[in-house]
Amino acid sequence: MIGMAGSGKTTLMQRINAYLHERKTPPYVVNLDPAVAKLPFQANIDIRDTVDYKQVMKEYNLGPNGGILTSLNLFTTKLDQVMELVDKRAATTEYFLYDTPGQIEIFTWSASGAIITNTLAATYPTVVVYVVDTPRTASPATFMSNMMYACSILYKTQLPFIVTFNKTDVVSHEFAVNWMSDFEAFQQALMRNEDGFMTSLMNSMSLVLDEFYNHLRVAGVSAMTGEGLDGLFAKIDEAVVEYYEEFRPAIERQIEKKREDERKQKAEQMSQLMHDLAVSEGKEVNPQQK
């Protein structure tokens, strides 16, 4: 689960955790946010048990973002142990939930975030849930900003993706669905709320994202009331099917290509080694050389 700070991501994680327990399918929860002060749910694996975020900041003389990034890097060195624990529970657990830092660029674009995501995706059906703060997305500018973030994360992870509009108990997400499905409706809202350079820029970006919207799953939920969770899990089930039909074969091809490249590299290195040995054995040695 990925989302900007303040989007209600961790609260939604708590609600989903409770929802799954009510359905008698308790999830396995992993917290990847080293800077969170208090979790509203019990995590089976908690990065804070492995890495002391404040100590990392102090020891390496880092700021908050640098501390989170370094903590993730240190945690990733023990990812093999984490995967062993996950593997043991995979046969009896249907859902695994991963809560990520609110500074989404740190997880999404860091090497450690990519390693964690790719390791999970190579083994288990993995779905990215991108949480959006619906009330703060009511203006065309913030809406477009969120959609650009969503687009970048989708193409970075290359995994089934669900845009989840949170806090629908405050503001309905229907306006966003309308903007995504009706280009002219967004243009009209844009003309009412923005002018000048921003209007021209967002008009151009909306044209680019029009194709992106056509292949995007959207859900509206309320972390406060639990409304919309049935619809969200219906989208997750669809995304799992898509993972097996489209994403898993692509991942397997990437893995096989990487292995083939490694085999070729090893063969070239061995060929070069044999060539060097042959040259050394056939070379005359100057007796005056010591």
Side-chain angles (χ1 to χ4, degrees):
M1 186 174 292
I2 298 174
M4 293 185 185
S7 63
K9 173 177 56 63
T10 300
T11 307
L12 179 58
M13 180 73 79
Q14 177 191 20
R15 176 61 67 178
I16 290 175
N17 187 31
Y19 173 83
L20 291 174
H21 273 89
E22 290 174 1
R23 291 176 54 180
K24 308 301 182 183
T25 55
Y28 195 80
V29 183
V30 180
N31 173 48
L32 297 176
D33 188 352
V36 64
K38 183 179 180 180
L39 283 177
F41 52 82
Q42 182 66 39
N44 299 93
I45 298 177
D46 195 332
I47 187 175
R48 299 175 302 171
D49 295 334
T50 303
V51 183
D52 187 332
Y53 164 69
K54 292 184 178 179
Q55 184 60 33
V56 167
M57 289 177 61
K58 181 178 179 181
E59 183 175 346
Y60 294 97
N61 193 27
L62 299 170
N65 287 350
I68 294 174
L69 178 59
T70 303
S71 297
L72 276 172
N73 291 340
L74 293 171
F75 180 77
T76 304
T77 63
K78 300 181 181 296
L79 186 59
D80 58 331
Q81 299 175 31
V82 174
M83 292 305 298
E84 288 178 4
L85 295 173
V86 171
D87 291 341
K88 290 178 181 178
R89 295 294 297 272
T92 58
T93 306
E94 186 175 357
Y95 295 101
F96 290 78
L97 309 178
Y98 297 82
D99 192 16
T100 61
Q103 292 77 2
I104 58 177
E105 68 281 357
I106 293 178
F107 181 81
T108 305
W109 296 100
S110 67
S112 54
I115 290 170
I116 293 171
T117 303
N118 293 339
T119 301
L120 290 171
T123 311
Y124 302 106
T126 306
V127 179
V128 177
V129 175
Y130 177 64
V131 183
V132 177
D133 186 341
T134 308
R136 292 185 179 179
T137 313
S139 73
T142 52
F143 171 81
M144 184 57 62
S145 176
N146 265 291
M147 292 303 101
M148 292 297 291
Y149 258 117
C151 183
S152 65
I153 295 171
L154 170 62
Y155 287 105
K156 178 65 171 64
T157 59
Q158 298 184 29
L159 288 170
F161 196 86
I162 303 172
V163 174
T164 305
F165 289 93
N166 192 18
K167 306 181 184 180
T168 55
D169 56 305
V170 180
V171 175
S172 172
H173 71 298
E174 291 304 321
F175 74 90
V177 175
N178 187 35
W179 287 353
M180 296 168 71
S181 59
D182 189 341
F183 176 77
E184 292 184 358
F186 179 76
Q187 294 299 307
Q188 292 173 3
L190 188 60
M191 296 300 294
R192 288 194 302 268
N193 292 274
E194 307 291 342
D195 56 12
F197 170 74
M198 287 298 294
T199 299
S200 176
L201 176 61
M202 284 188 287
N203 182 55
S204 299
M205 289 192 297
S206 64
L207 286 170
V208 173
L209 291 177
D210 194 46
E211 181 65 22
F212 167 69
Y213 296 149
N214 292 333
H215 303 283
L216 196 63
R217 290 184 177 86
V218 178
V221 300
S222 169
M224 185 62 65
T225 66
E227 181 184 1
L229 287 182
D230 288 337
L232 173 60
F233 273 87
K235 297 290 184 182
I236 290 174
D237 291 341
E238 292 176 5
V240 169
V241 173
E242 182 184 18
Y243 168 86
Y244 281 115
E245 291 180 351
E246 298 183 20
F247 289 87
R248 186 62 180 267
I251 292 172
E252 290 176 348
R253 286 194 296 270
Q254 291 175 1
I255 294 174
E256 183 57 35
K257 183 178 184 301
K258 183 177 180 181
R259 288 174 179 169
E260 183 62 27
D261 291 342
E262 290 175 351
R263 285 195 291 266
K264 288 181 179 179
Q265 185 178 9
K266 289 179 180 179
E268 291 174 358
Q269 291 174 346
M270 181 60 68
S271 176
Q272 184 63 44
L273 175 61
M274 298 303 294
H275 178 267
D276 293 344
L277 288 173
V279 170
S280 298
E281 291 174 357
K283 183 178 180 181
E284 294 185 1
V285 179
N286 188 341
Q288 294 182 352
Q289 291 181 343
K290 294 182 180 181

